[in-house]
Amino acid sequence: MNANHHETSGLSRTQQITLRGPAELADALPFVLGFHPTDSVVLIALHGEHGRFGGRVRLGIPRSPREWASTADHLAECLVEGGSRSGTRPDGIVVFLCQDPGAGETGRRVMERLRPFAQLLRIACGALDIPVYEALCISDGLYFSYCCPDARCCPPDGTPLALSGTSVMAATAAYAGVQVRGSLRDMESRFRPPGGPGEEAQRAALDTAAAAIVPRILEDAEGEGREKVRETTLKLARDILRRFANPGEAAPIPTGGSDGRDAMNATDTPDRPGAPSPATRPDGRRIVGGPDRGDATDDALVGTEEAAALILGLQDRVTRDRAAEWMEGWEGTAALRLWRVLSRRCVAPYQEHAAAPLTLAGWTAWSGGDEPTARVALGLALEADPEYVFARLLHQACNEGLDPESLRTCLRTERDTRLASQEAAPATSQRGEVRAPRPQGGGQALRKPGRQTGGGARRPSAGVRPGGPATGKPGNGTPRHGGHRGTRSGR
């Protein structure tokens, strides 16, 4: 991994499609990435005589022009080295510079301002003996070519992008089930604090939770306090997963008051009057997959104190790794929503604490096949903490196109081993003790691992569901697959 935490990828599940000219290249970019890149430089490798798309690398455009030369060298080297490791050195490269106009700017002004950066990228790729076939600037609903001198096809004032859904690439992507999730800015906003009056209440709750939880994680010599924090954190997280899966069964959520459950809402829910209109491009055309207004509903289901306790509890590595086991079925869907909520609650000065929920969000999305969301979440995790090892490893694995099933298998094995040892220990202690006869119906569940019988003992709260994907939602009275209520002592 490099310090700039760029995104790279090889294009799997390729479709046979021919792109002719800069217009179709510009239209294809969101379908290649899975989102509309904003404030980004993107390099895509081309292979073979017909220029087949290969790996890609994306990075935010550096604000200072003094960084452009080093960034150009870095991006070119990363793309070429990534292809060389897979045995497919690029034969050519296409460059995209995507940036919306600033105040008082036009699309053409953005293009001219970024022209030196485009030239540095062409020089960096040429130094590696790989030509840049095309370099495009996309801004204000227009595209501009830095390579084509023909004003008939690439006029100096730019050419409007194709209408959404009308191109060959759009039709092919729809047939293949490829989804464009809106803009990169939209996707990142779902993981960032929205601001507003609720931030102060969340900051105070984080201060209180840090004073209570951090010493127990770091300073407890015997580990009893740390283990108690783990159990409490995981039990609370599981309760909220069920709350998300069965919102109609959750306790009534107050609209105000001291816990501030509704204070962090930054947008209206879809059914609420005054909900914002769908996201659009600068030229007024609608963007599919804009900000998810359902996030406000999720925010309302998690109180400030609950969020603070989870954020601080997840700073423990073991707790975070056990939470990563919620990766499939309804658990995976609910967990991604929870990690998004927690990421949005990491207000200043707790931005670095967002690395844990952001990494869990990236892992859950990647495990579920949503690579664009995974890349965004993991990139933000490394932005919050560049040295966060779990995020670095996942980011690299996702970028190199590895199969997440190997990590899922590892997590399942560790979970099943832990649960088996936890269930065997109480059974061994029972055989070595002399006890008075139990009342009829009292706690025989441990005799059959993985099965809960009426009213008896329950598994420790630090455990999670048994092996295999959870395909159904949790039940109304008896929790299924998502762990069991109660604590190690049976309360």
Side-chain angles (χ1 to χ4, degrees):
M1 290 296 298
N2 298 283
N4 286 323
H5 310 305
H6 56 273
E7 297 172 9
T8 63
S9 177
L11 297 181
S12 60
R13 303 182 298 276
T14 55
Q15 300 291 323
Q16 294 294 328
I17 180 173
T18 301
L19 302 178
R20 299 177 177 86
E24 293 187 356
L25 278 174
D27 182 71
L29 182 60
F31 300 100
V32 174
L33 297 178
F35 53 84
H36 294 270
T38 49
D39 196 27
S40 298
V41 50
V42 181
L43 274 64
I44 299 179
L46 303 177
H47 299 276
E49 179 182 358
H50 300 290
R52 174 179 52 84
F53 276 6
R56 64 181 182 265
V57 57
R58 188 206 65 83
L59 185 69
I61 296 176
R63 294 187 178 182
S64 173
R66 289 176 293 184
E67 301 177 17
W68 288 354
S70 60
T71 299
D73 292 339
H74 170 72
L75 290 175
E77 291 172 1
C78 287
L79 184 62
V80 174
E81 289 176 2
S84 299
R85 283 196 301 268
S86 61
T88 55
R89 179 180 170 85
D91 297 307
I93 291 176
V94 177
V95 173
F96 298 87
L97 294 174
C98 308
Q99 191 172 75
D100 292 335
E105 275 193 318
T106 62
R108 181 171 181 175
R109 176 59 186 147
V110 172
M111 181 271 291
E112 294 294 348
R113 177 167 51 80
L114 295 178
R115 185 184 290 276
F117 189 23
Q119 183 63 21
L120 289 169
L121 288 163
R122 296 175 71 182
I123 293 172
C125 295
L128 298 174
D129 296 326
I130 301 177
V132 172
Y133 291 153
E134 182 60 271
L136 299 177
C137 177
I138 299 176
S139 180
D140 199 23
L142 305 170
Y143 74 84
F144 306 81
S145 174
Y146 292 113
C147 297
C148 179
D150 190 346
R152 292 173 298 179
C153 63
C154 298
D157 291 329
T159 305
L161 296 169
L163 292 175
S164 180
T166 62
S167 67
V168 174
M169 187 67 181
T172 304
Y175 178 78
V178 176
Q179 178 185 7
V180 177
R181 294 162 176 78
S183 72
L184 176 62
R185 186 180 297 110
D186 293 335
M187 297 177 72
E188 290 181 340
S189 69
R190 300 187 68 187
F191 294 102
R192 296 187 187 276
E199 281 204 0
E200 187 57 41
Q202 188 62 66
R203 186 177 299 110
L206 285 165
D207 289 340
T208 302
I213 294 175
V214 172
R216 299 170 68 187
I217 294 178
L218 299 179
E219 301 175 6
D220 189 272
E222 299 180 359
E224 294 179 1
R226 180 179 299 182
E227 184 60 30
K228 183 62 177 177
V229 169
R230 289 172 183 165
E231 292 182 357
T232 303
T233 301
L234 291 168
K235 181 182 183 300
L236 175 59
R238 281 198 306 274
D239 288 344
I240 295 177
L241 294 190
R242 297 188 186 96
R243 192 183 300 168
F244 283 168
N246 296 306
E249 300 173 12
I253 303 298
T255 56
S258 60
D259 77 343
R261 291 178 188 264
D262 203 42
M264 294 293 289
N265 294 350
T267 58
D268 292 324
T269 57
D271 297 329
R272 189 178 302 170
S277 59
T280 59
R281 292 176 179 167
D283 60 358
R285 289 180 289 122
R286 178 172 177 173
I287 293 177
V288 178
D292 188 340
R293 295 187 294 273
D295 288 343
T297 302
D298 291 345
D299 284 328
L301 291 174
V302 183
T304 53
E305 289 83 3
E306 292 175 324
L310 290 176
I311 290 168
L312 271 298
L314 288 172
Q315 304 309 306
D316 175 64
R317 180 185 60 81
V318 174
T319 305
R320 180 207 66 198
D321 290 350
R322 293 184 185 176
E325 295 169 1
W326 300 320
M327 57 190 171
E328 299 169 287
W330 73 266
E331 285 180 339
T333 301
L336 180 57
R337 294 164 60 189
L338 175 58
W339 308 144
R340 278 196 175 108
V341 170
L342 298 185
S343 301
R344 293 192 292 270
R345 300 297 183 88
C346 291
V347 300
Y350 291 90
Q351 298 97 321
E352 187 173 324
H353 289 68
L358 283 167
T359 302
L360 289 169
W363 157 241
T364 306
W366 183 38
S367 178
D370 187 354
E371 291 187 9
T373 298
R375 297 179 202 281
V376 170
L378 293 171
L380 291 175
L382 291 170
E383 180 181 306
D385 184 356
E387 302 303 320
Y388 201 71
V389 176
F390 192 27
R392 290 168 66 93
L393 294 174
L394 288 175
H395 197 250
Q396 182 175 357
C398 183
N399 286 339
E400 293 182 355
L402 302 182
D403 187 350
E405 178 58 26
S406 58
L407 181 53
R408 283 196 296 260
T409 300
C410 180
L411 289 173
R412 293 188 198 108
T413 301
E414 290 183 357
R415 175 197 58 211
D416 295 342
T417 301
R418 183 181 69 253
L419 291 178
S421 63
Q422 289 173 347
E423 292 177 350
T428 302
S429 63
Q430 285 181 8
R431 288 195 296 268
E433 296 177 2
V434 177
R435 296 179 179 270
R438 297 182 181 182
Q440 186 174 1
Q444 300 296 321
L446 291 176
R447 294 186 180 181
K448 294 184 178 181
R451 182 177 180 182
Q452 181 177 359
T453 56
R458 300 180 174 106
R459 291 179 181 170
S461 66
V464 289
R465 62 181 178 79
T471 56
K473 290 187 177 181
N476 296 336
T478 304
R480 292 183 297 166
H481 301 300
H484 298 277
R485 300 180 186 272
T487 64
R488 189 179 300 278
S489 63
R491 292 193 295 271

